[in-house]
């Protein structure tokens, strides 16, 4: 069925903190460098596989190689004090329990759930929080299937790192598809469901079916699109091509299309190298052959893709493969943000330079976009208005639908890397959305008590001009 006879099947082999010494390539590093990697992997989640190690990382360019930076913990991801505190315990041969206790103390300082994910996004009905669901925007519900809360490999920048460090109180997950279907029946404003994680594509097809088929069987005419957030086409493309149940997965995708639903794989490609292997290209071709659409997104990450040439090359390769460039995100304010963050003015320059050099077909991409507490905020420009240099910002998604497509302005700040580091321009005391956002926070969740009116337009204050 595949028609990919030129590809040899690959047996998946994962490596983590517990068997890091079995990664042969890492043994070429100095003892101090390897100890630092072990120390960081005690604090931040670490998982890599043989495909990434053998086909994506250029070991002749380590440590500067972007794929090495993307998948292998780096010493600079922790402060010198925190790095030493863990590395010293490892070098002294202290028990793992002692090492992990120190790691927990550090983790709690790293903003494990940015943008109000835990406090604001989880719906509450009849006083109970609905586990495994987030509902931040009116039209879209996120669902976290319990068996999909890991990945074929972890990105070192991952904003959901708290899912993978073994703290249940920080984890989103549900094993009950019925909970999702019931929630959707009560919320006819929802048109899109996004299966996310972790990575739902880590699941065997028979498990994925248990979540998707109930959506197809339910009478939900308002549900138009099923999305699957995944890094698998980059980190384990064999999932779609030569794995034992790859054919069944393609049949499931086709079934979604035949049942009248749009299927979109929200593929995370962070660097063009991930698109250039025969396996990755075969995976994209095969996914598209089912009728599904591949949309590509990634954050802008210092040390990995902070170059307009990299993004231009990546968007061009995506279009050539029939995938759709979708988002350039600003790296979120969590985890090792100091290591990866790029100032907003520089992010806008990188995006603009890359955007100018691509054809109109690739200009479906939007960015740089911050997925912040109030919504997705686009850095739409840098301008001088009335003698004041400002960032031109725009909501492309918002907790209140009336915010969408609203333009507002912030004082230009060369050091700012996130929305909460910006000040309103033109002498305004606050941004136009801040009062409504405070009201939403006071209600603890935008869907408190199952109220659909939480998404009804609220009166807006005049925007600064």
């Amino acid at each position: 069925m595949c028609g990919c006879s030129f590809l040899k099947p690959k047996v998946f082999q994962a490596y983590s903190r517990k068997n890091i010494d079995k990664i042969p390539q890492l043994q070429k590093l100095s003892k101090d460098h390897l100890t630092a990697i072990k120390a960081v992997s005690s604090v931040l989640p670490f998982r890599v596989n043989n495909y990434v190690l053998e086909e994506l990382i250029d070991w002749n360019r380590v440590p500067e190689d972007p794929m090495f930076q993307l998948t292998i913990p780096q010493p600079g991801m922790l402060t010198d004090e925190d790095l030493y505190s863990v590395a010293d315990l490892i070098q002294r041969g202290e028990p793992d329990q002692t090492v992990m206790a120190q790691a927990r103390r550090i983790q709690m300082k790293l903003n494990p759930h940015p943008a109000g994910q835990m406090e604001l996004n989880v719906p509450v009905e009849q006083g109970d929080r609905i586990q495994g669901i987030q509902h931040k925007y009116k039209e879209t519900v996120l669902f976290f299937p319990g068996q999909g809360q890991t990945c074929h490999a972890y990105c070192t920048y991952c904003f959901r790192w708290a899912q993978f460090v073994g703290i249940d109180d920080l984890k989103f997950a549900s094993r009950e598809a019925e909970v999702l279907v019931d929630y959707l029946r009560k919320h006819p404003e929802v048109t899109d469901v996004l299966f996310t994680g972790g990575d739902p594509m880590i699941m065997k097809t028979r498990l994925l079916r248990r979540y998707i088929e109930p959506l197809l069987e339910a009478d939900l005419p308002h549900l138009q699109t099923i999305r699957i957030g995944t890094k698998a086409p980059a980190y384990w493309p064999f999932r779609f091509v030569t794995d034992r149940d790859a054919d069944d997965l393609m049949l499931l995708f086709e079934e979604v299309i035949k049942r009248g639903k749009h299927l979109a794989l929200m593929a995370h490609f962070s660097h063009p190298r991930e698109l250039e292997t025969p396996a990755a290209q075969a995976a994209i071709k095969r996914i598209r052959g089912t009728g599904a659409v591949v949309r590509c997104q990634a954050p802008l990450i210092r040390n990995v893709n902070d170059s307009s040439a990299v993004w231009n090359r990546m968007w061009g390769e995506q279009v050539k493969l029939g995938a759709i460039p979708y988002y350039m995100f600003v790296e979120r304010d969590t985890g090792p943000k100091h290591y990866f963050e790029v100032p907003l003015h520089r992010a806008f320059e990188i995006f603009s330079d890359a955007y100018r050099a691509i054809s109109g077909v690739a200009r479906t991409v939007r960015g740089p976009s911050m997925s912040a507490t109030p919504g997705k905020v686009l850095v739409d420009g840098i301008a001088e208005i009335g003698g004041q240099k400002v960032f031109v910002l725009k909501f492309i998604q918002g907790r209140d639908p009336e915010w969408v497509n609203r333009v507002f302005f912030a004082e230009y700040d060369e050091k700012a890397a996130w929305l909460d580091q910006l000040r309103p321009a033109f002498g305004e005391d606050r941004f136009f959305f801040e009062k409504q956002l405070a009201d939403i926070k006071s209600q603890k969740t935008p869907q408190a008590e199952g109220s659909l009116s939480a998404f009804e337009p609220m009166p807006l204050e005049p925007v600064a001009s």
Side-chain angles (χ1 to χ4, degrees):
M1 182 177 174
C2 172
C4 305
S5 57
F6 64 93
L7 279 179
K8 290 184 178 180
K10 204 174 188 75
V11 178
F12 182 77
Q13 173 65 56
Y15 299 90
S16 66
R17 182 181 69 89
K18 294 182 178 180
N19 64 346
I20 194 171
D21 287 326
K22 293 186 179 181
I23 300 177
Q25 295 90 339
L26 291 184
Q27 306 316 309
K28 300 176 183 179
L29 304 179
S30 69
K31 183 178 179 181
D32 287 346
H33 193 173
L34 186 55
T35 298
I37 290 174
K38 290 179 179 179
V40 179
S41 71
S42 300
V43 177
L44 297 168
F46 167 58
R47 179 178 166 94
V48 72
N49 65 61
N50 48 326
Y51 171 74
V52 173
L53 294 170
E54 295 166 5
E55 301 193 40
L56 296 185
I57 296 175
D58 183 350
W59 291 96
N60 293 320
R61 296 182 60 196
V62 166
E64 290 79 15
D65 178 70
M67 295 305 302
F68 181 79
Q69 292 280 329
L70 183 62
T71 56
I72 306 297
Q74 304 297 315
M77 291 175 185
L78 300 181
T79 65
D80 291 343
E81 180 182 359
D82 287 340
L83 178 64
Y84 175 78
S85 71
V86 181
D88 182 56
L89 295 174
I90 293 173
Q91 289 176 323
R92 284 165 28 203
E94 296 290 344
D96 192 57
Q97 184 178 3
T98 303
V99 174
M100 295 314 298
Q102 176 59 16
R104 286 285 185 264
R105 287 189 281 271
I106 298 171
Q107 288 165 354
M108 292 303 101
K109 300 187 295 182
L110 298 178
N111 189 21
H113 279 309
Q117 289 185 87
M118 186 68 75
E119 303 85 359
L120 302 179
N121 294 0
V122 178
V124 177
E125 293 188 341
Q126 297 179 343
D128 295 324
R129 291 161 61 89
I130 303 179
Q131 299 301 317
I133 288 178
Q134 289 189 31
H135 193 179
K136 180 177 181 179
Y137 305 127
K138 176 180 177 181
E139 305 87 357
T140 306
V141 160
L142 276 61
F143 185 74
F144 296 75
Q147 300 93 330
Q149 300 313 305
T150 186
C151 302
H152 293 96
Y154 293 148
C155 298
T156 46
Y157 66 75
C158 183
F159 81 94
R160 289 208 177 113
W161 61 269
Q163 290 281 97
F164 315 124
V165 293
I167 306 177
D168 288 342
D169 288 345
L170 297 181
K171 193 170 184 177
F172 296 103
S174 175
R175 292 177 179 267
E176 300 181 35
E178 295 77 11
V179 171
L180 175 60
V181 171
D182 183 62
Y183 186 81
L184 294 175
R185 284 198 176 104
K186 296 176 182 177
H187 290 267
E189 76 277 13
V190 175
T191 61
D192 292 42
V193 168
L194 170 60
F195 288 92
T196 186
D199 192 331
M201 289 292 96
I202 198 76
M203 294 189 291
K204 297 296 184 184
T205 305
R206 59 181 174 79
L207 293 176
L208 183 61
R209 279 184 177 276
R210 294 179 188 174
Y211 292 103
I212 290 182
E213 286 186 341
L215 294 180
L216 302 181
E217 297 297 331
D219 183 19
L220 300 170
H222 57 284
L223 179 62
Q224 300 172 0
T225 301
I226 295 174
R227 309 184 201 175
I228 301 174
T230 181
K231 186 76 179 175
Y235 281 171
W236 192 254
F238 306 97
R239 177 70 190 89
F240 309 93
V241 184
T242 60
D243 277 6
R244 287 185 178 181
D245 62 343
D247 289 352
D248 191 33
L249 180 63
M250 296 302 101
L251 289 173
L252 177 60
F253 287 180
E254 290 175 356
E255 183 179 344
V256 173
I257 303 300
K258 289 177 181 176
R259 300 292 287 269
K261 306 299 181 184
H262 177 61
L263 178 62
L265 261 72
M266 318 307 288
H268 292 247
F269 288 106
S270 307
H271 193 276
R273 191 177 303 164
E274 298 170 321
L275 292 152
E276 293 170 348
T277 68
Q281 294 181 3
I284 293 173
K285 181 178 180 180
R286 197 162 192 225
I287 293 165
R288 292 184 61 238
T290 67
V293 171
V294 179
R295 293 182 180 269
C296 303
Q297 56 191 29
L300 174 64
I301 317 152
R302 189 163 62 92
N303 304 310
V304 174
N305 58 20
D306 54 334
S307 157
S308 59
V310 168
W311 285 88
N312 175 264
R313 179 175 143 210
M314 184 159 61
W315 291 335
E317 189 67 27
Q318 288 165 4
V319 169
K320 186 170 72 173
L321 295 171
I324 301 172
Y326 189 50
Y327 268 120
M328 173 200 276
F329 289 116
V330 176
E331 171 59 7
R332 291 196 182 192
D333 56 337
T334 182
K337 62 178 182 179
H338 66 281
Y339 189 82
F340 288 119
E341 69 182 11
V342 176
L344 294 177
H345 78 91
R346 179 62 184 144
F348 178 73
E349 291 170 1
I350 291 171
F351 178 87
S352 298
D353 288 346
Y355 194 78
R356 293 186 191 104
I358 57 176
S359 73
V361 175
R363 288 181 181 166
T364 50
V365 69
R366 295 177 290 182
S369 171
M370 294 175 277
S371 289
T373 302
K376 287 188 174 72
V377 177
L378 184 73
V379 181
D380 208 26
I382 298 172
E384 186 168 317
I385 302 175
Q388 182 177 354
K389 193 173 185 180
V390 297
F391 283 115
V392 182
L393 306 172
K394 182 170 72 173
F395 274 101
I396 50 180
Q397 187 58 280
R399 289 189 183 273
D400 184 333
E402 287 296 317
W403 299 349
V404 176
N405 219 35
R406 286 287 300 268
V407 174
F408 60 107
F409 304 93
E411 293 179 359
Y412 180 81
D413 184 342
E414 283 203 350
K415 295 181 180 179
W418 196 249
L419 183 64
D420 62 7
Q421 297 170 5
L422 296 175
R423 294 170 55 86
F426 312 120
E428 295 292 322
D429 293 332
R430 59 188 179 186
F431 293 117
F432 79 92
F433 57 85
E434 290 192 75
K435 183 180 183 301
Q436 291 95 319
L437 182 61
D439 292 341
I440 291 172
K441 287 182 176 180
S442 71
Q443 297 168 14
K444 297 189 181 294
T445 172
Q447 298 84 29
E449 313 253 332
S451 170
L452 301 186
S453 63
F455 288 111
E456 291 176 357
M458 291 182 270
L460 297 176
E461 300 173 357
V463 66
S465 60

